[in-house]
Amino acid sequence: MSTSISFVHVHQINKYHVCFREIFETLITKLHRHCSANQKSNKTAKQNVKLQTTYALQKHDNDALSLFRCVGAGRHLKGSGIRNRPEGKILETVGVFEAVKQHGKYETGQLFLHSVFGYRGIVLFPWHARLYDRDVTPPMSDSKPDPPGAHGSKEVKGKTHTYYQVLIDTRDCPHISQRSQTEAVTFLANHDDSRALYAIPGLDYVSHEDILPYNSTEQIPIQHELFERFLMFNPSKAPPFTTRDTLKAWQEKNHPWLELSDVHRETTENIRVTVIPFYMGMREAQNSHVYWWRYCIRLENMGNEVVQLRERHWRIFSLSGTLETVRGRGVVGREPVLSKEQPAFQYSSHVSLQAPSGHMWGTFRIERTDGSHFDVRIPPFSLESNKDDKAPPAGYTF
């Protein structure tokens, strides 16, 4: 038994919408990448058929693109049409792609495919964040200066950018290999152990440009334990999923834990680093206050050269006056390779300070295929606390 892939060849798709050529090229890259990864892991895949999953595309006479999910195991057959799919493979209909929104925002209930990580998801609600992009030369006003000791000296203007709180389809979680874990929202435990963290799995923050929207006739198109608690099927609406009162109450009660306010971005030698910090709250420990933050980091290879992350170097400044240096191999136990086929890697980590605010910045040591190295800057970002103490998430039983 061998792992294989099947997809439908598509012709002249740029006539439907200019962005669909990019969508097609992105998805075909993902198809080949997934096939290659499955072939490499074929020795162990015989006992785990669930790993053998990918997507397929089909173009219709009206230029619409249908998305299929190819599941099961089978012997590889030549050809690229549905009739020539591998033996034992099943093409399950996922939906039909919609035009990407160049302006405006996506509504609650919008189904999508993540353009970078390839998972299916659904939009819960939007966040309007301030994006501080150090690759853009700003005017003198409406900008943030670097923290003391940080690299560089230029100020960065914040620009409003839309992100979305989304649910990830649990069926796709095993295939998100470019992330250290499936994203989750973490929060502090409601007891004296200040280091105890809990998580709500399968929640993610997705930038507007990472959304590839599609529609589906299924009443439950996304598998996640919160889907039916938060959304209900309503065929008279577009998209046909409306918000339940439980989602509204959950969003309102847990707004401090979920809020995305600042995004920081910087590119060094075609490696772009994006950082999103989240304040988690304060706990008392040994007669002192300990403030906690979570930060999410994405590395993206914007070029064609294959590189590998080897080391991290952090500088953590606390308002109490302390400056901590952290060095180590890789990130979260991994040394990810960034290539044209797998250009991105994302992970989350946590930091605590004995002060209500501080700053973090640093570098990643990157290695080229010829053994040479260069340092990629991590954009400086603030660690800011909220004045009001937070209660643990409500509206859901863990």
Side-chain angles (χ1 to χ4, degrees), residues 218-243:
E218 294 185 56
Q219 295 189 21
I220 307 178
I222 300 297
Q223 289 189 11
H224 190 286
E225 60 180 336
L226 296 179
F227 179 84
E228 292 186 86
R229 302 189 186 200
F230 286 169
L231 302 166
M232 70 174 68
F233 183 71
N234 186 344
S236 65
K237 299 290 185 179
F241 302 99
T242 55
T243 303

Side-chain angles (χ1 to χ4, degrees), residues 303-360:
N304 297 320
E305 187 178 19
V306 178
V307 298
Q308 185 170 12
L309 189 156
R310 289 300 192 185
E311 300 175 8
R312 69 188 185 279
H313 177 204
W314 281 107
R315 304 276 279 176
I316 306 170
F317 175 78
S318 171
L319 188 63
S320 63
T322 62
L323 179 62
E324 181 182 2
T325 298
V326 178
R327 293 181 182 270
R329 295 286 296 182
V331 290
V332 292
R334 296 179 63 174
E335 297 180 20
V337 175
L338 303 177
S339 63
K340 190 173 182 179
E341 291 74 28
Q342 291 192 343
F345 181 80
Q346 184 168 309
Y347 74 96
S348 291
S349 190
H350 301 84
V351 63
S352 63
L353 300 176
Q354 291 186 334
S357 65
H359 290 88
M360 289 181 65

Side-chain angles (χ1 to χ4, degrees), residues 102-154:
Q102 304 295 334
H103 305 284
K105 63 181 178 63
Y106 296 105
E107 301 296 329
T108 296
Q110 176 65 61
L111 296 167
F112 69 92
L113 193 70
H114 197 294
S115 67
V116 176
F117 299 113
Y119 65 74
R120 287 166 292 175
I122 191 166
V123 171
L124 294 181
F125 46 82
W127 291 107
H128 298 294
R130 298 293 292 176
L131 173 61
Y132 296 93
D133 193 341
R134 300 179 68 84
D135 300 329
V136 177
T137 302
M140 295 301 294
S141 61
D142 192 21
S143 56
K144 278 194 172 183
D146 283 345
H151 55 75
S153 59
K154 68 178 181 181

